[in-house]
Amino acid sequence: MTKQTVQHRVERLIRPEIRALSAYNVPPATGMVKLDAMENPYSWPDAVKQAWLDKLAQVEINRYPEPQAQAVKDGLRRVMGIDAEFELLLGNGSDEIIQILAMAIAGEGSCVLAPEPSFVMYRMIATFCRIDYVGVPLDSRFDLDLAAMLAVIDARQPELIFLSQPNNPTGNLFSIEKIRRIAEASTGLVVVDEAYTAFTDTDSLHLLKDYDNVLIMRTLSKVGLAGLRLGLLVGRPEWLGELEKLRLPYNINVLTQASAVFALENFELLQQQTQRLRTDRAELLQALQALPGLQVWPSEANFLLVRIIEKPVIEVHEGLKQAGVLVKKLDGAHPSLAGCLRVNISTPPENALLLDALQPLLA
Ligand SMILES: Cc1ncc(COP(=O)(O)O)c(C=O)c1O
């Protein structure tokens, strides 16, 4: 078959909206200071690592995983204080949970609503599933534009609304009163995505008691287990029982299950690391605010949103890369992110490397 014929078939078979997409871009990072993906930079002490490896050695890799991953769910309930009246659904990262939710509501004329800028996968997965997506711009303080959100709810009654709390990539918390108003007005599901909950004092689990259309989504990625791919959805059994039918069998593999159980038994270690990052976030914020030509927003997550005011952001992004520091360029992703970069909070030496690399680029 010639190359041309293959291309012809691709164009005939693959939906135009899929061909128009760009694949989720993960730049090569070997040897770089990696400040672009909201990972926890800390590893485990050798003794803990060895105890983990001992557990993994007992895993029966020739067997399918325990389908419900019950021990993982028990551990999550314990560390997160999840009430017995609510059910849990586990995903291969919370990305997979977004996909499960989208598949559950996809149908003629169905609609997903999210504020913008926010997590890009809400829009992407809606597109994958042929669901209309409505993005409502955040207000000038990056809070929810309640009137605009309510107007879309009134006009479209979206089946699914995603609210990232705190929000990625702006780092702030939305007003809880506005979230409540949205939950009250919506006849669809409101998913509060608490991917960054470990880095803030607030917590939305209490909303589950007040609203029967709210679900809470979390992940272990940001607290130090990004490599595991484990996300969870918490909510009323009536919802989760339906969503469970869309979960692929054995989506949580044996190595993830054993590692997650182990990590949840040692959760204090991850909490200490998170606490450290929160302390260092305050220092990095201050240090960045002291640099000329930068606008930096306070953050309730493990990253900071930074706007380069006096230099072309592409030059600064490229200059950082040349200096071995990888950060996320957000410029171009949304009008309100013009000139913006997103930088991870990391270890003090890596935060210092960022500052050292950034300073001459701003001069
Ligand atoms: C707001 C938000 N939700 C969900 C995710 C997905 O996390 P994961 O699939 O690693 O669980 C991310 C990752 O960046 C995120 O920022």
Side-chain angles (χ1 to χ4, degrees):
M1 197 183 298
T2 67
K3 216 172 170 185
Q4 241 177 355
T5 346
V6 179
Q7 190 53 36
H8 180 71
R9 286 194 184 189
V10 167
E11 281 168 23
R12 191 167 53 82
L13 289 177
I14 306 294
R15 286 154 40 203
E17 65 271 29
I18 303 300
R19 282 189 279 121
L21 290 173
S22 316
Y24 192 82
N25 177 35
V26 181
T30 314
M32 305 283 279
V33 176
K34 205 169 176 312
L35 305 180
D36 65 331
M38 290 88 85
E39 294 147 335
N40 170 349
Y42 293 105
S43 59
W44 296 349
D46 286 347
V48 177
K49 244 185 215 170
Q50 191 53 55
W52 168 50
L53 292 176
D54 292 346
K55 291 279 183 204
L56 289 187
Q58 294 165 25
V59 166
E60 291 188 293
I61 200 83
N62 55 319
R63 303 285 178 200
Y64 279 109
E66 199 271 281
Q68 286 303 321
Q70 196 53 51
V72 178
K73 288 184 179 172
D74 292 346
L76 289 166
R77 277 190 191 279
R78 191 181 66 249
V79 304
M80 295 185 180
I82 298 166
D83 271 15
E85 68 178 293
F86 301 116
E87 202 37 82
L88 266 69
L89 173 86
L90 302 184
N92 186 354
S94 40
D95 284 344
E96 191 188 32
I97 294 177
I98 300 171
Q99 189 182 44
I100 289 174
L101 285 159
M103 286 192 296
I105 61 107
E108 191 66 32
S110 53
C111 175
V112 163
L113 166 65
E116 285 197 335
S118 190
F119 185 42
V120 292
M121 292 311 284
Y122 306 147
R123 175 198 281 273
M124 287 189 73
I125 290 174
T127 306
F128 302 164
C129 295
R130 281 204 152 138
I131 300 170
D132 291 347
Y133 172 87
V134 182
V136 169
L138 292 170
D139 70 15
S140 60
R141 301 171 66 205
F142 291 142
D143 198 0
L144 296 166
D145 181 340
L146 185 62
M149 295 288 284
L150 292 179
V152 175
I153 291 170
D154 189 41
R156 293 292 309 260
Q157 284 300 344
E159 281 78 5
L160 199 49
I161 301 175
F162 288 105
L163 302 174
S164 170
Q165 178 78 335
N167 189 39
N168 172 19
T170 56
N172 59 305
L173 288 164
F174 297 139
S175 141
I176 184 68
E177 205 35 57
K178 291 182 181 178
I179 294 180
R180 286 184 172 279
R181 292 281 304 280
I182 288 168
E184 279 156 21
S186 172
T187 55
L189 276 170
V190 178
V191 177
V192 181
D193 180 353
E194 292 197 316
Y196 300 94
T197 191
F199 301 94
T200 180
D201 291 332
T202 71
D203 165 338
S204 305
L205 280 175
H206 59 95
L207 293 178
L208 292 175
K209 300 225 182 237
D210 298 341
Y211 304 103
D212 63 13
N213 59 339
V214 167
L215 299 174
I216 306 293
M217 188 166 70
R218 290 186 174 181
T219 175
L220 294 187
S221 295
K222 317 300 172 185
V223 291
L225 301 168
L228 270 194
R229 308 303 295 126
L230 188 73
L232 63 146
L233 189 71
V234 188
R236 293 184 190 244
E238 292 88 336
W239 291 119
L240 294 214
E242 296 303 321
L243 297 170
E244 181 68 18
K245 298 175 192 169
L246 293 166
R247 186 177 66 84
L248 291 178
Y250 313 121
N251 65 332
I252 311 301
N253 71 67
V254 282
L255 297 177
T256 296
Q257 290 195 27
S259 303
V261 168
F262 178 83
L264 292 166
E265 280 165 1
N266 292 274
F267 206 63
E268 244 173 60
L269 174 60
L270 298 181
Q271 283 170 323
Q272 283 163 11
Q273 295 175 344
T274 306
Q275 198 46 52
R276 177 76 219 241
L277 291 167
R278 288 178 65 164
T279 310
D280 291 334
R281 173 177 67 195
E283 282 191 24
L284 184 61
L285 174 70
Q286 248 188 351
L288 287 168
Q289 280 172 336
L291 294 182
L294 277 189
Q295 182 180 7
V296 194
W297 284 265
S299 166
E300 296 284 322
N302 61 346
F303 56 82
L304 294 170
L305 180 68
V306 175
R307 174 170 283 139
I308 313 294
I309 298 168
E310 282 160 23
K311 297 274 171 178
V313 65
I314 297 181
E315 265 175 34
V316 175
H317 184 246
E318 194 50 41
L320 286 173
K321 213 191 284 180
Q322 296 300 323
V325 178
L326 202 57
V327 303
K328 178 84 175 175
K329 183 170 74 64
L330 296 172
D331 181 79
H334 190 269
S336 62
L337 298 174
C340 285
L341 300 172
R342 188 188 62 205
V343 302
N344 238 80
I345 317 295
S346 190
T347 60
E350 289 198 345
N351 295 340
L353 278 172
L354 168 72
L355 291 166
D356 288 350
L358 195 54
Q359 223 155 356
L361 295 170
L362 300 172

